[in-house]
Amino acid sequence: MHPTNKILIACVVSIPTGLAFVIPPLRAARHDRSRTGRSFLSGKDGESLECSTRRDILQRAIAASVFIPTASEAMYTDPVTRIVLPSEGEIESAIPKTFVDNPFEDLDKTSFGRLDQTPDTVFYKNPRFTEHVDDNAVQTMTKFISNDVLKQNDSVLDLCSSWTSHIEKSAAEKLTLQRISGLGMNEEELKANTVLNDYTLVDLNANPNVVLPYDDSSFDVVLCQLSIDYLIHPLNVMKEVRRVLKSGGKVVILFSNRLFITKAVGLWTGKDDLDHVYSVGSYLNFCDGGFVNIEAKDLSTRKKKGKEKMIVGDPIYAVIGLKSV
């Protein structure tokens, strides 16, 4: 489930009103939100296109790209991309010490609906042997997973897996990982993933009563990389993740602000990075999965520019939860 911004695609997007648009191959664009709360798309020549709704964003995307970052309302604006990004330390503070109100209790169906409502088996039919984020972000994820997340003799599940799990083969050997299982949508991609010991084809969006095809307490670590924004039943999936984790095991969910907007759920689109972190933390807290010690990490590369340590390239964030003992 790792889409990419390096592929030109054509897809049919279903709009809630019943209308449909065919989106031809398009170039990438930038999407940001101003301090006034209005949304903009920045085209290939840097022009700003004002829009106020997800439908407006999609229509602008037809002239720009289906692969755009979500909006952001954090603390500083990148002077080059005009995307507003979180200041250093804000991502970590987006997870409260105590979750109070359940943000999912009164949501309507559109919150987990998507502009493109065609089955994911269609969208992921053809393999994509490219990355979803830039090279620096890929290296950051790989080092974080290989050096910080995985421990000696771990059994690992790569949820929404693809042709890469961002696990160094040398690390897998050094740590004598007992098992690396992949669960994904495209068999060609999974076959090409050289660190996997086994793989399974499952569409996690096909059935709200999703059941992961693994025994209870099978894994020490469950990874979900660059895919959480596409899950339409995230609470159910995270409850299943808890079931297949061993006592004290951990789930690590990594994401950026790059996405296929037509396949991301409504709850995700138009939100800023802090909202995304809070939402993912809430998935773990309110899924009845018994996750504890939920925390967020900003893994993004930053460089001092004036008073601000600004993110360089694509941001990478991680939300981590432990299965209660």
Side-chain angles (χ1 to χ4, degrees):
M1 248 189 196
H2 298 316
T4 175
N5 64 335
K6 299 180 181 178
I7 292 180
L8 300 180
I9 65 170
C11 62
V12 177
V13 179
S14 297
I15 306 300
T17 59
L19 299 175
F21 296 93
V22 176
I23 300 183
L26 300 166
R27 285 188 289 270
R30 298 286 187 178
H31 176 218
D32 68 288
R33 176 170 292 183
S34 70
R35 294 292 182 181
T36 63
R38 302 288 287 175
S39 296
F40 293 85
L41 281 173
S42 300
K44 63 184 179 65
D45 297 321
E47 70 275 16
S48 295
L49 308 173
E50 186 173 0
C51 49
S52 58
T53 66
R54 292 178 67 220
R55 185 173 300 166
D56 288 336
I57 292 171
L58 176 62
Q59 291 170 340
R60 299 293 193 248
I62 293 175
S65 175
V66 293
F67 188 89
I68 58 180
T70 56
S72 187
E73 297 173 310
M75 291 301 292
Y76 78 90
T77 302
D78 187 291
V80 177
T81 65
R82 296 182 62 249
I83 297 174
V84 187
L85 294 166
S87 295
E88 188 175 28
E90 284 194 301
I91 289 297
E92 288 79 1
S93 66
I95 299 292
K97 292 182 178 179
T98 302
F99 288 86
V100 181
D101 297 323
N102 187 337
F104 310 117
E105 284 184 339
D106 300 319
L107 294 181
D108 57 32
K109 292 182 179 180
T110 62
S111 296
F112 290 106
R114 299 176 297 176
L115 290 169
D116 179 1
Q117 299 180 46
T118 57
D120 287 346
T121 50
V122 175
F123 190 81
Y124 296 105
K125 180 179 180 180
N126 296 320
R128 297 180 174 93
F129 294 107
T130 48
E131 291 284 2
H132 180 19
V133 288
D134 63 28
D135 290 343
N136 182 67
V138 169
Q139 293 175 17
T140 297
M141 286 194 300
T142 302
K143 290 179 180 178
F144 176 66
I145 293 170
S146 301
N147 300 335
D148 299 333
V149 173
L150 302 179
K151 305 301 180 185
Q152 198 75 30
N153 299 318
D154 274 351
S155 293
V156 183
L157 171 60
D158 185 16
L159 203 64
C160 305
S161 188
S162 181
W163 65 278
T164 175
S165 295
H166 303 111
I167 298 173
E168 296 172 349
K169 292 197 73 172
S170 59
E173 295 171 358
K174 180 180 178 181
L175 295 171
T176 58
L177 298 180
Q178 297 300 298
R179 174 186 184 185
I180 306 177
S181 299
L183 184 148
M185 292 281 292
N186 186 280
E187 188 165 16
E188 289 185 57
E189 292 181 8
L190 293 169
K191 282 182 177 179
N193 190 329
T194 58
V195 302
L196 295 181
N197 300 115
D198 58 83
Y199 66 82
T200 305
L201 296 174
V202 175
D203 180 358
L204 295 176
N205 287 336
N207 188 340
N209 298 315
V210 61
V211 177
L212 298 180
Y214 306 105
D215 293 336
D216 294 359
S217 304
S218 294
F219 300 100
D220 300 284
V221 177
V222 174
L223 303 171
C224 182
Q225 305 174 60
L226 308 177
S227 299
I228 191 68
D229 39 337
Y230 305 112
L231 296 181
I232 64 177
H233 310 295
L235 297 174
N236 296 356
V237 172
M238 289 303 115
K239 188 173 182 179
E240 271 294 282
V241 165
R242 194 266 183 190
R243 179 183 66 79
V244 302
L245 275 172
K246 298 177 182 179
S247 181
K250 58 190 169 186
V251 58
V252 180
I253 303 170
L254 295 119
F255 52 94
S256 182
N257 63 2
R258 304 292 188 262
L259 75 162
F260 281 109
I261 197 170
T262 59
K263 276 297 184 181
V265 298
L267 183 70
W268 197 272
T269 59
K271 299 293 186 178
D272 66 30
D273 293 348
L274 301 182
D275 289 329
H276 296 156
V277 170
Y278 178 78
S279 293
V280 175
S282 296
Y283 291 165
L284 298 181
N285 187 76
F286 293 105
C287 71
D288 296 327
F291 286 105
V292 297
N293 297 340
I294 300 169
E295 62 175 337
K297 293 181 180 292
D298 185 354
L299 307 177
S300 310
T301 300
R302 291 180 179 268
K303 185 177 180 180
K304 184 77 171 180
K305 293 184 179 180
K307 296 181 179 180
E308 190 74 52
K309 289 190 71 174
M310 302 176 71
I311 293 175
V312 178
D314 292 341
I316 289 292
Y317 313 117
V319 172
I320 303 166
L322 301 182
K323 178 178 178 177
S324 56
V325 178

